[in-house]
Every structure is written in structure tokens, then in C-alpha cells.
Amino acid sequence: MNKEGIKSIVLTFLVLFSGFLTWNIWTYSPNIEKINKTEYINNVAISMKNESMATIFIPSQAIYHQEDGHVGTLDNKLINPLIAKLKDWTFYDLKNVSSEITEEKMNSFVHKNGMLEFVFPDNIPFSLYKKILSVEDKELPDFEFNRILVSSKMRNGQDNHIYFQSTTDKTIYRLSIVDSKDIDEFKNKVNQDTKAMIPMLKLNKDIYIPANALTVKSYNYFIDQISSSDFKNALFTEPNNVSKKHTRDGEQYSYSNGRSVMNIDNKRMIMTYENLLYNNVYATTPAEILDRSINYLNDHSGWEKGYRYAETDIEAFKTKFRLYVNDLPVFNEYGISEIEQIWGKNEIIQYQRPIFSIGSIYDSHNIKEVTLDSGKQALEMLKTQMNVELNEIEDMTIGYEMEKKENPKTYIELKPAWFYKMAGEWKQVKSELSGGYPNGLE
């Protein structure tokens, strides 16, 4: 046999052998048991509650501007139906109109007769809030806002708009409304709701507070304790490798390699989880860190009833969500009315939250009504008795002070009071006669 014949036989063999191997690869089915995903990804719910963007990003108040002043409300029964109408509309043509509505023109634009202003506790990235709205634009710039402006003077059949304003960044964006067929229904709702609104007093930096004295009920609530084992199973990827030891005020859980630790403080009723080996910082956007925070809580059903978005500190890579009761924010000096997270590049660095949720009312026959000072009186107290520079106030509101009580069961007391924010810290308005200067409520 010559060389050419041998080459033909070898080539034929290689082609057939290659086909055989290919057929085996395509038809091969390994006899391996399916890996149980729950061995590596915990599916433990601290509570049974997840939240959407719509239930997290809620205005803290609505302000309606009139020729003779401002009225407003903190009541979500009035705010929610108006916000819901915005969700029903379709928008297009997002534009930055900051150069047209300059800072000099902003005051007259916002405060013109018939303008409705939804006020949020802090800046919100539009890339997250747009998930609540119906926007036709395919590509949208990301920006932050803390106000939504809607005029009640819109008319059917005309070009109508809503505006997104950031009072901190001094920017304003405009969205056009595609279909204005429900404009009259929206306007009628606004006119109806303004009759139930209360007079508001405007401070510097576009802060609005109730002008007159208000009567607010105080409450006592039982608490529903969250099991420390639920936290352990939800937060540690390998809970079986976590050791536990008792501390002076509670318990401490940690990995043997010192990678992460969780402290349960039963005295202050707070949980702190820390990633000890991951503390680097990096450049990121408010949208990214806030989106991660929301997803992280949803992943282990970590929400409790009444928590809303409160603020983002991009320099500290920190997000905060605050408890609201009867549409009023709740404050506590130890932070047990807040869920706080600090993020690194890929992992959470610190996670702090209360170890309880609010239960049923304790002693419903003993609900008291407290008459708070008017806004003018609260400002006067800040100025004359507490020596606070009013132009340094960053925010101000009525809310609840939360205190832990035992009689003999543990419960929490919510007492109405005035609060103000200065240098990023919330404090209670308190005169020397009523108990001394306030402690920080960060």
C-alpha cells in the first residue's frame, strides 16, 4: 500500500472518531444528584414582608401654594391618591430645565398660585423612582430630586408637565404628560384635599412646618421580638459554622475565622452585623448604593411595617430607613426606629436595625392626647432657650420620640414632640425647663 492510501485510511479513521466523540458529548448525561441550592444560599425570612419602590419612597408632606400663603398635610390619606394619579399618567421628553428656571426664578415658580409640591425626606435617584412611573423615553439621564411639582392649573388638551426639583443640588427636570384626559379629575381631587390641609409656615431652605398648635395622640405598643437565630440564619451564609457567646447586654455570633460578627443588644433592642474583613471604600452613585440596600432587605424579608426611605449619605456609603407611625417619623437616641446600612464595593460592611417589630396597642384605654406648640412657638424655643441658629436648621417636623418601657412586660412608648435636624443629626426641641438640652437622635 502506498503512502497516499495510508493517509486516506488514517484521515477516515480520525473523521469517524471525531464524530463519535462529538455524538458522546451531545448525548452525555452525567449521573450526578442535583445540588441543593439552600445549602449555599440561605432562604430565611426575618419577617414575611418585602417592599416595592412605591412603598419605600413616600413623600413626608404635600404643600399647596396659594396667593395668600401655604397649606399642607402630612396625612397619607390625602397624599397617596394624588401620587397614585401620577403613576397612572404616561410621560415623555425628560429635560433638564435648570438653565431656564434659574435659582433666582425658582422661588416664584415653585410658590406660584396652584402649585402642588410633594416633599421627600432626602434626595431620591430618578433611575430608581422611574420604576414607579410610566416613561416612554428609552434613554434617561440619572439625577436626584427631593421635590415633585405639579400645577393644579393644568388644562385638558394642552401641553402639561410635572417637575422634579432638588433643593440641595439646585436642579430641576421636566417631564411632559402624554395623555391629559384625567387632568380635571386630578385638579378636582387637589381642590377637595386642600380644604382638609392645615396652614404651613415656611422656614429657610424651603422647609415647611405646621403653623398652628396640633393635638397628637401618644401611644404604647407591645413589641414582637425577632429571634436572634432568625438573624443568624439569614445573615450568615454558613450558619452552622457560627459560634455564639453571651455578652453583658445580649449575645454575639461570629465566624471562627473572624470574618463577620453579629451583636444582639437586648438592652437597647438593636442588632448590629459587621463584615470585619471588608472595609474598603470606592466611588459609587447614590442610585447604586440605595438599590443595593433595598434589595438586601428584600432578599431576607427584612422590612417591618411602617419603614420608609429616610436618607443616603454617599460620602459614608450609608443608607437609612425610618419608622413612621400615623404618618409621623419616629426618633430614638439609640437608633431603634431606623434600619441603617453601610456598603463596600461588593459586600455590606455594617447593618444595624431593631430586633423587634411593633405589635398591638398596649393599654388602649390610656391613649393620651398631647397638644404641641405651634410652629412659631417651637422656633422661638429653639432661638431663645436653646440658642439654635435658625438659618442652620436643615429640616424640622413633628414626630414621635420612642422609649422602651417595662411594666412588667416590655413595650414602647411613642410621645409626640417637635424635632429639628442640624449638621445631619436629628434632635428634639426641648427647653431647659422641660428636661434640659436634647441628646442626639441620629
Side-chain angles (χ1 to χ4, degrees):
M1 183 179 293
N2 58 28
K3 290 183 179 180
E4 293 300 321
I6 295 173
K7 287 182 180 180
S8 297
I9 293 172
V10 172
L11 181 61
T12 302
F13 173 79
L14 290 176
V15 171
L16 293 173
F17 185 71
S18 175
F20 173 78
L21 291 177
T22 302
W23 179 82
N24 272 275
I25 291 172
W26 287 348
T27 60
Y28 179 64
S29 178
N31 185 23
I32 299 176
E33 293 183 2
K34 291 184 179 179
I35 296 173
N36 187 354
K37 190 177 181 182
T38 59
E39 292 178 7
Y40 301 93
I41 301 175
N42 298 320
N43 187 22
V44 178
I46 290 177
S47 73
M48 299 305 296
K49 191 171 180 61
N50 283 17
E51 294 288 3
S52 65
M53 299 294 180
T55 56
I56 295 169
F57 297 129
I58 299 178
S60 54
Q61 57 183 200
I63 307 296
Y64 186 71
H65 301 286
Q66 301 172 317
E67 291 181 348
D68 56 350
H70 323 278
V71 294
T73 182
L74 287 71
D75 188 352
N76 262 340
K77 294 183 181 66
L78 298 179
I79 297 175
N80 279 345
L82 295 172
I83 285 289
K85 181 54 64 179
L86 271 60
K87 299 172 189 175
D88 291 339
W89 293 342
T90 302
F91 302 96
Y92 74 106
D93 193 24
L94 177 67
K95 283 188 177 180
N96 185 346
V97 292
S98 304
S99 60
E100 301 173 23
I101 308 174
T102 61
E103 190 173 349
E104 293 75 18
K105 299 178 182 178
M106 187 68 71
N107 188 65
S108 59
F109 175 77
V110 174
H111 298 151
K112 65 184 178 183
N113 185 34
M115 184 67 81
L116 179 65
E117 182 176 358
F118 297 103
V119 181
F120 294 85
D122 196 14
N123 275 343
I124 298 173
F126 183 76
S127 60
L128 298 185
Y129 198 81
K130 72 179 182 182
K131 298 176 182 180
I132 301 173
L133 305 174
S134 176
V135 184
E136 290 187 343
D137 298 31
K138 298 298 182 182
E139 296 184 5
L140 295 169
D142 196 17
F143 60 93
E144 296 179 57
F145 69 94
N146 58 3
R147 311 289 169 102
I148 296 179
L149 308 171
V150 189
S151 175
S152 66
K153 303 300 181 182
M154 296 185 294
R155 295 182 180 179
N156 285 329
Q158 293 188 352
D159 291 333
N160 295 304
H161 315 281
I162 67 171
Y163 298 84
F164 297 84
Q165 179 197 11
S166 172
T167 58
T168 55
D169 298 339
K170 310 298 182 185
T171 57
I172 186 165
Y173 283 74
R174 184 185 71 196
L175 262 181
S176 300
I177 304 173
V178 173
D179 191 352
S180 303
K181 63 182 179 181
D182 296 330
I183 291 296
D184 286 341
E185 182 182 340
F186 175 80
K187 291 165 59 177
N188 292 336
K189 180 62 177 172
V190 172
N191 292 331
Q192 177 184 345
D193 286 355
T194 53
K195 298 175 183 178
M197 293 183 179
I198 59 176
M200 303 295 282
L201 182 65
K202 182 181 180 296
L203 283 65
N204 62 308
K205 301 177 184 176
D206 293 317
I207 300 169
Y208 299 91
I209 61 174
N212 301 327
L214 294 177
T215 299
V216 183
K217 291 181 180 179
S218 65
Y219 293 93
N220 296 327
Y221 287 95
F222 285 115
I223 63 170
D224 294 328
Q225 192 91 8
I226 302 173
S227 169
S228 57
S229 62
D230 284 347
F231 282 120
K232 181 194 73 171
N233 294 330
L235 302 181
F236 291 94
T237 55
E238 300 173 353
N240 291 333
N241 294 329
V242 173
S243 61
K244 171 186 174 182
K245 70 176 182 179
H246 292 282
T247 61
R248 184 181 64 178
D249 297 321
E251 304 156 354
Q252 184 180 87
Y253 296 81
S254 61
Y255 275 135
S256 57
N257 60 7
R259 191 170 74 221
S260 53
V261 62
M262 180 181 75
N263 286 293
I264 303 291
D265 189 331
N266 291 319
K267 183 178 180 180
R268 294 186 175 182
M269 299 192 301
I270 201 162
M271 182 281 296
T272 304
Y273 172 85
E274 295 182 85
N275 188 338
L276 302 178
L277 301 184
Y278 197 97
N279 57 8
N280 64 307
V281 295
Y282 78 115
T284 185
T285 63
E288 182 180 356
I289 189 173
L290 185 52
D291 193 36
R292 285 186 177 186
S293 296
I294 294 170
N295 291 334
Y296 183 78
L297 287 168
N298 278 333
D299 284 345
H300 62 267
S301 298
W303 295 100
E304 301 297 336
K305 181 181 178 182
Y307 279 85
R308 305 180 188 175
Y309 171 65
E311 61 184 79
T312 297
D313 184 346
I314 191 60
E315 294 182 357
F317 307 97
K318 180 192 299 183
T319 59
K320 188 176 292 186
F321 304 91
R322 187 179 306 283
L323 175 65
Y324 277 70
V325 174
N326 297 330
D327 298 325
L328 296 180
V330 180
F331 301 93
N332 172 268
E333 62 180 314
Y334 300 125
I336 60 173
S337 62
E338 301 166 357
I339 298 175
E340 181 180 290
Q341 300 175 47
I342 300 176
W343 282 87
K345 184 175 183 179
N346 298 311
E347 300 181 58
I348 193 163
I349 295 176
Q350 183 173 299
Y351 173 34
Q352 183 171 290
R353 55 164 299 141
I355 60 174
F356 67 92
S357 60
I358 289 182
S360 58
I361 291 180
Y362 170 75
D363 193 7
S364 60
H365 300 291
N366 196 29
I367 296 176
K368 300 177 182 178
E369 290 190 341
V370 178
T371 300
L372 298 174
D373 288 339
S374 67
K376 291 182 179 180
Q377 290 173 320
L379 290 172
E380 185 65 22
M381 184 179 294
L382 283 171
K383 182 179 179 180
T384 61
Q385 297 190 39
M386 298 177 61
N387 298 319
V388 172
E389 293 291 338
L390 299 185
N391 61 358
E392 295 181 4
I393 295 176
E394 299 168 0
D395 203 353
M396 189 170 177
T397 185
I398 60 172
Y400 286 111
E401 178 187 12
M402 176 189 283
E403 288 189 9
K404 175 185 176 182
K405 299 286 185 178
E406 293 185 19
N407 187 30
K409 293 184 177 181
T410 302
Y411 67 96
I412 57 170
E413 180 182 39
L414 298 180
K415 297 187 296 185
W418 276 100
F419 299 88
Y420 70 103
K421 186 179 183 181
M422 195 165 66
E425 185 178 0
W426 281 98
K427 301 180 180 181
Q428 186 178 340
V429 178
K430 231 186 240 186
S431 69
E432 289 182 291
L433 297 177
S434 63
Y437 288 91
N439 294 318
L441 298 171
E442 175 102 57

